[in-house]
Amino acid sequence: MGIQDRIADIEAEMARTQVNKATMGHLCRLKSRLAKLRTQLQLETERAKGVGRDGQGFEVSKQGDARVILLGAPSAGKSTFVSLVTNTASAVAAYEFTTLDCIPGVLPLHGAQIQLLDLPGIIEGAAQGRGRGRQVIAVARSADLVLMMLDAGKDVDAQRRFLEREVEYAGIRLNRRRPQVSLTLKKSGGGITFNATCSLTHLDEKLVQAVLHEYKIFNADVLLREDVTVDELIDVVEGNRIYVPCLRVYNKIDLLSIEEVDRLARADPHFGVVVSCELRLNVDAVLERLWRLLRLVRVFTKKRGQPPDFDDPLVLRSTACRVEDACRTIHKSLADPTQFRYALVWGRSTKHDPQRVGLPHRLADEDVLCVVSK
């Protein structure tokens, strides 16, 4: 029996099992087995991820300051959007599956170079391998942001549900953060030590032990800092989940009435934008929302006695935007404490302009940096 057959059997057993206190332990064990099987399936995909039907690589090298991939059903408008905002000529046609390979493009945005990847359409069962779906979804694991293209002329809720379900099967969590759970494995004995800093409504000590025993973990310290579910605990135990922000783009609004467009825009105000790629309506709003979700930090450099260079900024991640990170981006020798003297910073991260700072100082967007070495 193959992995997919075993996954189908477990899903069928979970579907016919009633949910109550007496069956929670059994359901936790089934969910753990299901997660392990999906991880095995994902590992098999990773080993063959770069090989297409013609023997050429499906994945492309990561370039630019950030990577954004376009996911969506066939003929949702992904290729039209890429051709509209980049200089890449992606094939556009009225029939489905126009794009069969990964088409890269470069989007210049606020001084940063964003890599856009136009991927083939996702169909039902993509996570199980239908339509090269596992290869397509595997590329999303290396993305900094997922741009989900939805066809507003069809049932957008159904499209969103099946797309999120397919990427979740592949271990990708959209618009979610890592659970606040600490799991420390112990080499010696002592059993499982369970503690929680908040009240729990989904888990208790017995359910946690049932999940860990399914993974052959019998000695560990578990600390829950938030009210997590069984699925979130399994994600922590697996340790290979990817948490990626997602921007949902509702395309083809030119097919809807004004009232329907207004309802669609208000239904998803934080992570959704309504556009029409055919008529080039609201495309700038997509790019601005994309920029905010990427959370990139631009730092302009300045030589002593000269004006700042506003044409070619350093682009850093918000999680790594210290002076030390900026110095390493310029040249790794500048971040050496034996060579670094101090830095002068102008901008929102300072109390006064200029401010003399050290390597640990965190920079803000559009700061000006002048590094003084010994």
Side-chain angles (χ1 to χ4, degrees):
M1 180 181 294
I3 295 179
Q4 295 184 5
D5 295 331
R6 293 160 63 187
I7 289 176
D9 291 342
I10 294 177
E11 289 177 341
E13 185 174 354
M14 291 176 59
R16 62 173 177 264
T17 301
Q18 295 183 355
V19 180
N20 52 53
K21 291 184 178 180
T23 60
M24 281 304 298
H26 179 61
L27 287 173
C28 287
R29 287 187 287 270
L30 289 177
K31 287 184 177 182
S32 301
R33 295 172 192 171
L34 188 61
K36 289 196 297 183
L37 290 174
R38 284 175 177 163
T39 300
Q40 294 180 18
L41 196 62
Q42 180 64 31
L43 290 176
E44 292 182 358
T45 304
E46 289 291 336
R47 285 194 290 267
K49 182 176 72 171
V51 180
R53 290 173 296 182
D54 54 357
Q56 299 179 354
F58 186 82
E59 173 71 285
V60 297
S61 60
K62 194 170 184 178
Q63 298 178 353
D65 301 305
R67 167 178 283 194
V68 177
I69 69 163
L70 279 79
L71 284 182
S75 192
K78 302 183 296 298
S79 300
T80 305
F81 180 81
V82 172
S83 302
L84 192 62
V85 300
T86 68
N87 293 326
T88 303
S90 186
V92 178
Y95 53 86
E96 295 185 349
F97 297 105
T98 308
T99 303
L100 300 177
D101 292 309
C102 182
I103 309 297
V106 178
L107 167 65
L109 185 62
H110 299 313
Q113 300 295 316
I114 310 299
Q115 185 184 43
L116 285 182
L117 297 185
D118 181 17
L119 299 177
I122 301 295
I123 60 176
E124 288 283 355
Q128 284 73 38
R130 292 188 59 193
R132 302 179 69 187
R134 278 184 288 178
Q135 286 181 298
V136 174
I137 296 176
V139 178
R141 298 182 66 88
S142 63
D144 299 303
L145 184 140
V146 172
L147 197 151
M148 183 181 294
M149 189 71 68
L150 303 171
D151 189 346
K154 302 178 182 178
D155 189 350
V156 293
D157 293 331
Q159 293 178 68
R160 186 176 63 181
R161 281 195 301 268
F162 104 79
L163 287 172
E164 292 177 349
R165 183 174 64 250
E166 295 297 333
V167 297
E168 187 166 338
Y169 286 166
I172 302 171
R173 305 294 181 259
L174 301 179
N175 291 335
R176 288 160 59 180
R177 59 179 178 83
R178 297 181 183 275
Q180 299 297 309
V181 177
S182 175
L183 176 63
T184 305
L185 303 182
K186 297 185 293 186
K187 295 182 180 179
S188 59
I192 295 175
T193 304
F194 175 80
N195 288 291
T197 60
C198 61
S199 59
L200 303 177
T201 59
H202 305 286
L203 291 173
D204 55 28
E205 186 172 0
K206 290 184 177 180
L207 295 180
V208 171
Q209 290 179 353
V211 171
L212 295 181
H213 289 172
E214 192 64 35
Y215 283 90
K216 303 298 186 293
I217 299 175
F218 303 100
N219 300 290
D221 293 330
V222 182
L223 175 61
L224 274 63
R225 296 187 177 91
E226 63 177 342
D227 186 17
V228 298
T229 62
V230 176
D231 296 323
E232 291 174 331
L233 176 63
I234 292 174
D235 289 344
V236 174
V237 177
E238 286 284 343
N240 61 350
R241 303 310 191 218
I242 305 297
Y243 297 85
V244 184
C246 176
L247 176 62
R248 291 182 281 267
V249 178
Y250 301 93
N251 189 25
K252 303 182 183 180
I253 60 172
D254 51 297
L255 303 178
L256 306 178
S257 63
I258 296 296
E259 293 76 15
E260 291 174 328
V261 172
D262 182 69
R263 179 190 58 81
L264 195 60
R266 294 177 184 275
D268 194 6
H270 299 293
F271 298 101
V273 184
V274 293
V275 300
S276 173
C277 295
E278 185 70 24
L279 301 180
R280 301 190 178 188
L281 297 177
N282 217 27
V283 175
D284 292 339
V286 176
L287 301 182
E288 290 300 322
R289 190 73 63 87
L290 183 147
W291 174 259
R292 291 202 299 267
L293 288 177
L294 284 175
R295 299 178 62 188
L296 297 178
V297 176
R298 294 163 297 174
V299 177
F300 302 102
T301 56
K302 176 184 180 302
K303 294 182 179 180
R304 300 185 69 178
Q306 297 184 14
D309 181 12
F310 291 112
D311 296 328
D312 188 18
L314 302 176
V315 181
L316 307 174
R317 303 296 175 87
S318 59
T319 55
C321 58
R322 300 173 300 172
V323 172
E324 181 179 0
D325 301 314
C327 292
R328 291 186 186 278
T329 303
I330 300 172
H331 196 277
K332 62 180 181 180
S333 63
L334 290 178
D336 188 351
T338 61
Q339 300 294 327
F340 178 85
R341 187 177 179 186
Y342 62 88
L344 296 175
V345 179
W346 293 259
R348 293 184 297 171
S349 67
T350 62
K351 297 180 180 179
H352 51 81
D353 293 334
Q355 181 176 339
R356 181 169 170 169
V357 299
L359 290 174
H361 178 77
R362 293 187 63 85
L363 300 167
D365 189 30
E366 296 185 334
D367 277 0
V368 176
L369 173 67
C370 177
V371 179
V372 180
S373 58
K374 295 180 181 179

